[in-house]
Amino acid sequence: MTKPEPLLSVEHFSLSFGASSTNLIDDISFSVEPGKTLCLVGESGCGKSVTSLALMGLLAKGAARITGGKARFAGEDLFALPERRRADLRGNDIAMIFQEPMTSLNPSMTIGHQIVEGVRRHKAVSKEAAEARALEMLSLVRIPAPEKRFHAYPHQLSGGMRQRAMIAMALANSPKLLIADEPTTALDVTIQAQILALVSRLQAETGTAMILITHDLSVVAEVADHVAVMYAGRIVEVGSVDDIFSDPQHPYTLGLFGSVPSIGRRSGTLATIEGSVPLLERMPPGCRFATRCPFADQRCFERAPPNYEPKDGHRVACWYAPLENHVRAA
Amino acid sequence: MTLASQTEIVAPRRRFRGLRKLARNRGALFGGAIVLFFVVLAVFAPLIATHDPFASSFTNVRKPPSAEFWLGTDEIGRDIFSRLLYGARASLMAGVVSVAIALLIGVPLGLVAGYFGHLIDGTISRFIEALLAIPSLILAIALAATLGPSLMNATLAIGVAATPIFVRLTRGQVLAIKTEDYVEGARAIGLPHVLIILRYILPNVLSPVVVQATITIATAIIAEASLSFLGLGQQPPNPSWGSMLNTAKNFMTQAPWLSIFPGGAIFLVVMGFNLLGDGLRDALDPRDN
Amino acid sequence: MSARQDIILEAREVTKRFGHPANFMRQSSLVHAVTAVSLSVRRGETLAIVGESGCGKSTLGRLLLRLIEPTSGSVVYEGQEITALRQRDMRRLRRELQIIFQDPFASLNPRMTVRQILGEPIRLHRLASGKDVDDRVDQLMRTVGLRADWSDRYVHEFSGGQRQRIGIARALAVDPKLVIGDEPVSALDVSIQAQVVNLLGELKRDFGLTLVIVAHDLAVIRHMSDRVAVMYLGQVVELAAADDIYEAPLHPYTSALLQAIPVSDPTARGQRQLLQGDLPSPTAPPSGCRFHTRCPHARPRCSQDHLALEPVGDGRFVACHFWREIQSAGVSVPAATARRSALEMRLGLYRTRQEERRQVDR
Amino acid sequence: ADLNVALQDDPDILDPHRGNTFVGRMVFGPLCDALFDIDTSLNIVPRLVADWAWSEGDTVLTMNLRPDALFHDGTPVNGEAVKANLERALNLPESNRKAELASIESIEVLSDTQVAITLKAPDAAFLANLTDRAGMMVSPASFETAGEGGLVCAGPYKFVERIQNDRIVMEKFADHWDADNYHFDQVIYRPIPDTTVRLANLQSGDLDIIERPAPNDMATIQGDSNLVFDIVTGLGFYGVNFNLGNGERSQSPINQDKRLREALNLTIDRDVLNDVLGMGTYPPAYQPFSTASWAYNPEFDGGERDIERAKALMAEAGHETVSFEILYANNSAMQSLFELVQAMASEAGFNITLRPTEFAAYVDEREAGNFEVSQFGASGRIDPDGNFHRYLACGSAGNVGNYCNDELTDLLNKARVINDVEERKALYDQAQQIAAEDLPALYFYYTPRTWAYSAKLDGFVAYADGVLRLAGLKPKQ
Amino acid sequence: MLKLILRRIIVALPTLIILSMIIFGLQRMLPGDPIQTMMAEESDPQVVEFLREKYRLNDPLPMQYLAWVGNVLQGDFGSSLRTGIPVTEMILQKLPITVQLATMAMIMALLIGIPAGILAAVHKNSAIDYTANAVALSGMSVPNFWLGIILIMVFAVSWKILPASGYVPITQDFWLSIKSMLMPAFVLSTAVAAYLMRHTRSAMLSVLSSDYIRTARAKGLLSNAVIIRHALRNALMPIVTLATLLFGDLLAGAVLTEQIFVIPGFGKLIVDAVFTRDYAVVQGVVLFTAIGFIAMNILADVLYIVINPRLRHPQ
Ligand SMILES: Nc1ncnc2c1ncn2[C@@H]1O[C@H](COP(=O)(O)OP(=O)(O)OP(=O)(O)O)[C@@H](O)[C@H]1O
Ligand SMILES: Nc1ncnc2c1ncn2[C@@H]1O[C@H](COP(=O)(O)OP(=O)(O)OP(=O)(O)O)[C@@H](O)[C@H]1O
Ligand SMILES: [Mg+2]
Ligand SMILES: [Mg+2]
């Protein structure tokens, strides 16, 4: 069985902000295959959104600088394309769903109009055809009474419906790649479950590849094929969802698992990751997790850890991997 | 180790953070420098002035700039440079004091109206709306005429006429801040209203108020000029930039230097205050850095 | 049933409506935020209030502390009806009743140093004066795991988790007897959230506090609480011990909530029965049982008859006409999946090493 | 053709019996013919009255009216109309002409064209008053509506419309007895208070004539071949008067000691005022009568600036420095004047405070005697009485400083009831002598009557009373 | 919508009552007497007394106020002390002029201020931004009387392409009317344009950094479409507020401009009336402009609803 050609492969991508000499995103690599879902997990501020915005070409000009690496998408290097070509890709081949359903829709434009606008930007179709497509999308995402909602303004919809409208908008041009940046964080428990189910069903139907960004491990368990765990701008561990859940290697991944309370009966205190992320300027030159890692020693602070691959496609950046070989059990 | 690692995440202790931010803002620095420059001129006017600003020389009427009279002389032979220096006192005072008055009346009223709401708010708001409905220049003219023409009265009138805006602005801000959790937190520990207003509301509504204040300083300087035009501003022979411009307009073609210098000074100061205001807004805004 | 004196705080039929009723000029904008809620908090317990966004959790929390005035009903604290107290007496009582807010960024005055924030309630309630205030502040900082020498910093210089600790410290500054946490961990990242959850647990143990936790994360709730009240659209629909709720939910809405919890293991993926539709608007709540518009078991009677929370034994309460039938219909309850062995083993190593490091630090 | 004329202010009510303002007189000029008029030498000449005669003893005036004069509504200006007008001016409660006609005892209509007026006593200024608003005839049919925009007079132009602050439009009255002498179809008066703007409008061709251009613009106007500058010395004057007896503030040194007033007078260099402020258009004044008036006496002129003598006088009066305040109505001309006076007087040790006051308040303060020294100005009357008696006779309406010298008042009263010019002049000379002793007021300069107009106009004549007369004015061929 | 307007009118009533008291009281506090001021040189005590009685100036203040309010309620604003012209007639005469001037000034200000503000926001911290700001500030800092005279000198005196002053009714000659108002409207617009520019800039900046703008760009829209279709409309609310507020001020605040360009509008009328203590005129005109101001506020509310669907379809 040969591995399918990835739709998007990001190689050694680095990025920094303003005049900072330290890379905020530092040498990250990952890839997504058609029809598959890659989950990018990590705590708030680790650079998940910045990465996705960089792929979309939506980072503010001037502020962010791409300091290295490539992003190959269907044969083209996204970072090297002229702005006009990127705009042509955006919303057509690569689409995105944002974190905040409440604020991500234009409050003074009807839902229908917002979808139609995206369709007509990329497809040479009549207004009527575009409207028909928009209606089709609205019913596809299970918005009740789509003809009515078509003329509704965002504030007239509930959060869940708005997020579904966002999804309809993103999928209207049948993109090859969908980037979903925490599509459910702002939603209620019951709605979150509805949306996640919807997204994975649509994805299965259309064969769209997806990068799903989240910090919620149970969301990952629910939908991912592959997982990349990010910490402070670096990918510390990447692998298939089974690898990550059944054989997590990196201490940060472990800390994440430990921090989530189980739904079962209460069991003492939670494992925690002490402290918080250091400022970018104070990042240790070695492993960025060293300041919070219970196993860290001098070496971890000073030198970047090597990649350890317990298995094909499962990669972890830690001096101590696998842990049990380096640390004596208590 | 854990505590040590916690140290890392905390930003280094920075005092006067706002000031530093201000100092890094080039526009604000430039604006501040202009304002400071004129303040220095005004304060040290007696030391800097090359002539007596009131002494007219009948042989030197409307002379163009020269080595003797740097910026020329006016219609009755007084040194424009020296008058410009003394005029800075009047114009800056008209700007700064009137805004101070507007702040001193407007902000407390806005705080009280916004914080207590209900009847108090209704009363204050109706009153303020009524004042807002009278064009501010007309209001200032009527007040200044009531109080009698003098710089101080004109300043007072401009200040009072500018007050309604500050009440509105403050009240609006209070309404937004009032629902913040930390205000509720203050109530939750049982803090009395006065202290909540002073410690929790006031400092947090100040930033847009300060910006509005710097814009208003500019309008107040212009308003003093307008009142001078109508004879209600600075009283002769004391100069203000507005009154200098006012006489100068009769000599615009024959002696342009009479208008160019006070006009230029007003422009620079207004520019200075606005740049400073923009900078202050950025510096006072805790959200960005 | 527990003895009367065990009850520290009790809500009696409290109702809160926001906005104004219709008049000749405008339409009604009444929001029925909380409707006739009665519940009691036992001394020393942790009571959780769960429910979806906008169901009235925060409003109920505020009503319990009389931070807002109820439209009707009363709140009784230690046998005293606090909703009838004069403002001045109420201010004095505030020492014993405290609140921790959801948003660590919005709940602390950005223009005050931590020392001012923590010292203010101490001085106000005359718990200490002069130099002693500073000592108390330092003590509080250490209690919540922050360095005492940071107290002269402004809050923006702290991370979210640290700010939440400061918020907790402020609540603790006046030696309260009861603390309400309005989503105290929802805004925090998983790892920080775990730190704060642990801290709250310790504090409760060490100070004998009574905690009321408002939240929507069911896993966190289960981890933290003794009893759980489930709210739907301004009403409590079920109230029971945490384990009972999670293992055998009685109300269909409670079951739906539990169903919505994502699996914690990729191997356990599968079809789940998800609740459809959105929360109805609180300006026009449905008649009868407010859940009937979304309830898979709804029958005609549900849309007509009003119903209140009724005791069903074992200290459990539920508000559903048909809970017996629904329960016997067998609602599947999420299984707590056992963690994989590799994870368990490495997590063990992780914890042990963390503990060792802590020892060294002390 | 149209004629566009700029006025300095917007007139008040357009009813000659009620009006108060100088610009109002400008507008009445073409609208309302008066019984008499003046020529450029201030001689009384016929207008609606063709000829007239005084009775023995100068108490009965018999006037023969022109037979061909019509009001704009077509009714004739006859004896009855004249009587009705004079009675209206005397009896209308709001009439401001009462004082000017106070000497009338009775009016008799002898025929359609003949009216006899009997005076209580001889009144030297009577005819002069009838050249102005008191002698203007309004159609009796419009008595009720005059003022509210329905003014119907007998002038060469009739009223068309008025937009306050913008324009007063009048059109030629074809049936006027002297219509041939008026060459414009329409005349528009526009109030433009700002001198710079006024001149700019003249330069741009929007206006044909402007009144009172600023002195400093004289050079510009003279240098412009499209424009003509014209000036005559007016009848009015500017100066200061002292509060010699109106309330507490008359007690200050300058008001108590005439040596100090004399000293102040000696510090003022009228030539400098003329040069610096007037660019040569402010004729130095030392007395209430303008050089245009027959009552003017050059003997009272002069008194070179003499700081040393001023100081000596002050020392004599026991003062090294003297402080006082000058009250004046705020405008830029007055401001420059008094700033200059302040500067000049300071050289002798006078310490002058300026109190510019908004006009309405200024009037109030003067009436209330709340001033030490005040701006003093008069627009000037044709008859000398109006420049003197009104301001300095005991108890006179314009005597706000309450100066009272019985001897002087006596002389002025006497001069009022004599019609003989030589006799009157002798009385005024005596009165002036007393005033020069007491110094209740100082005169600085005579009001210049300046004009600027388009070089395309022909036949423009400036009068000392400052009122524009349109007869003979026409576009250049 | 009608209900909203009705409600706003009812809410405005107390404001109007307070306002009428303020102007009434303020006027009577002014030193100086209307009759004396009017008569100046020629005052005759008998006439003064007669006029005082006629205009009820000898009555106690509250009586005067009530009498005035009573008349106003019957539509009688009294007439000018100085010119005898009824106040209502003056208002009607000057209304079209004032409205034309204010409208042209507002249009110019909008045409200058909004595009400049957008440009400055889009090119934040660039040369364009700084230039736009400097130009706006110079508009704010040049006194109107000064700018006005310069314009007259250049356009009317030197180039002779515009009339130096004066007013032509729009019904008489449309283009000439517009032409004659160009300079005064421009002078009047500078300060308003400056305010609009600065507020547009900051409104645009906050809108441009909002999430839905990012969404629009994520759809592949090009930046002009994003700015015009998505950003501008949402930035319009504060601009509408400001513009309507300032329009109210333009109605009566154009004193100096009216004076320089000899335009018979409300501003000069009120100020002259203040200076001559022509009470009825001040009261009448200020009351009238205040009603205009309140009407503008109601218009703003209506515009909000047009712009903001959230207000149109409350959920
Ligand atoms: N314009 C910018 N200039 C400087 N730093 C920036 C900028 N935008 C983002 N950052 C920084 O980049 C880091 C990563 O931000 P990003 O939004 O990618 O985090 P995230 O992983 O998406 O977090 P979250 O889960 O909270 O959405 C943050 O520390 C943020 O402060
Ligand atoms: N001050 C207020 N004025 C009007 N309506 C209010 C007010 N506060 C809350 N509400 C409304 O009352 C209802 C309950 O709000 P509440 O904040 O108690 O919900 P919640 O359960 O805490 O929701 P969340 O999880 O989003 O915090 C909501 O519909 C809300 O919009
Ligand atoms: Mg993000
Ligand atoms: Mg809440």
Side-chain angles (χ1 to χ4, degrees), chain D residues 156-175:
Chain D
Y157 286 89
K158 59 183 185 191
F159 178 83
V160 175
E161 69 164 338
R162 169 181 194 176
I163 297 175
Q164 205 190 352
N165 285 333
D166 183 42
R167 65 188 60 213
I168 293 169
V169 181
M170 43 189 91
E171 67 182 12
K172 189 169 169 176
F173 177 48
D175 296 333

Side-chain angles (χ1 to χ4, degrees), chain C residues 18 31 33 52-59 183 282:
Chain C
F18 289 107
V31 175
E52 283 176 275
S53 177
C55 71
K57 307 182 296 287
S58 301
T59 306
E183 316 223 19

Side-chain angles (χ1 to χ4, degrees), chain C residues 6 34 71 124 178 207 213 277 280 283 287 305 317 359:
Chain C
D6 263 338
V34 168
T71 310
L124 187 73
L178 180 139
F207 295 90
I213 300 292
T283 29
S287 59
D305 292 4
F317 299 84
Q359 300 295 341

Side-chain angles (χ1 to χ4, degrees), chain E residues 49-105:
Chain E
E49 198 43 43
F50 172 80
L51 291 174
R52 296 193 65 83
E53 278 301 321
K54 179 173 172 188
Y55 290 101
R56 293 171 163 271
L57 295 174
N58 291 331
D59 290 1
L61 266 191
M63 295 306 295
Q64 290 188 39
Y65 176 73
L66 290 179
W68 176 67
V69 170
N71 287 337
V72 165
L73 289 180
Q74 291 165 32
D76 176 12
F77 283 84
S79 47
S80 163
L81 221 59
R82 206 172 103 86
T83 59
I85 304 174
V87 174
T88 327
E89 190 183 315
M90 287 187 182
I91 291 175
L92 290 181
Q93 207 175 46
K94 288 166 200 314
L95 184 64
I97 306 169
T98 296
V99 169
Q100 186 188 346
L101 178 61
T103 309
M104 280 179 64

Side-chain angles (χ1 to χ4, degrees), chain D residues 8 212 235-241 270 273 282-288 331 333-334 337-338 362 374-379 442-449, chain E residues 41:
Chain D
Q8 182 167 296
R212 287 181 266 176
L235 296 167
F237 55 77
Y238 278 101
V240 289
N241 66 335
R270 273 107 171 144
L273 297 183
Y282 287 181
Y286 299 88
Q287 53 180 300
N331 67 50
M334 285 300 110
L337 170 64
F338 288 111
Y362 158 82
S374 160
Q375 163 192 346
F376 179 36
S379 56
L442 301 182
Y443 304 89
F444 292 160
Y445 60 87
Y446 298 121
T447 326
R449 292 301 174 187
Chain E
E41 236 183 88

Side-chain angles (χ1 to χ4, degrees), chain B residues 1-2 6-7 9-11 13-14 17 180-182 184-185 187-191 199-200 203-204 284, chain C residues 62 67 91 94 98-99 101 106-111 120 124-125 145 147 152-153 156-157 162 361:
Chain B
M1 188 67 208
T2 50
Q6 277 185 6
T7 336
I9 52 96
V10 175
R13 182 89 190 86
R14 271 180 273 149
R17 183 167 151 277
E180 289 284 341
D181 284 349
Y182 59 79
E184 191 159 329
R187 286 203 289 127
I189 59 168
L191 210 62
R199 286 198 212 149
Y200 287 76
N204 291 297
L284 285 174
Chain C
R62 269 160 214 190
L67 285 172
R91 272 211 281 275
R94 296 223 173 275
Q98 280 301 311
I99 182 163
F101 292 98
S107 58
L108 298 171
N109 187 346
R111 320 264 158 169
E120 184 169 63
L124 187 73
H125 292 287
R147 285 172 57 152
D152 286 317
R153 296 169 191 266
H156 68 257
E157 296 171 274
Q162 291 170 329
D361 270 0

Side-chain angles (χ1 to χ4, degrees), chain B residues 165-245:
Chain B
I165 308 269
F166 285 94
V167 180
R168 269 243 173 136
L169 187 66
T170 309
R171 175 177 171 275
Q173 285 294 310
V174 173
L175 290 183
I177 299 286
K178 188 163 91 157
T179 57
E180 289 284 341
D181 284 349
Y182 59 79
V183 176
E184 191 159 329
R187 286 203 289 127
I189 59 168
L191 210 62
H193 295 311
V194 188
L195 290 181
I196 295 182
I197 293 178
L198 286 182
R199 286 198 212 149
Y200 287 76
I201 310 264
L202 180 62
N204 291 297
V205 303
L206 233 42
S207 147
V209 172
V210 165
V211 174
Q212 176 67 29
T214 58
I215 298 180
T216 313
I217 288 179
T219 18
I221 291 176
I222 303 297
E224 195 277 330
S226 300
L227 289 185
S228 278
F229 182 83
L230 299 169
L232 295 173
Q234 171 73 302
Q235 298 303 304
N238 298 310
S240 80
W241 294 341
S243 64
M244 290 173 77
L245 260 190

Side-chain angles (χ1 to χ4, degrees), chain C residues 191-227:
Chain C
S191 60
I192 313 283
Q193 174 178 317
Q195 295 173 8
V196 175
V197 166
N198 285 349
L199 172 66
L200 282 174
E202 285 166 30
L203 292 175
K204 189 188 157 212
R205 198 181 58 221
D206 298 349
F207 295 90
L209 288 174
T210 306
L211 280 179
V212 177
I213 300 292
V214 171
H216 63 249
D217 185 325
L218 294 154
V220 170
I221 294 288
R222 174 149 213 200
H223 185 83
M224 294 182 73
S225 52
D226 302 313
R227 289 197 305 151

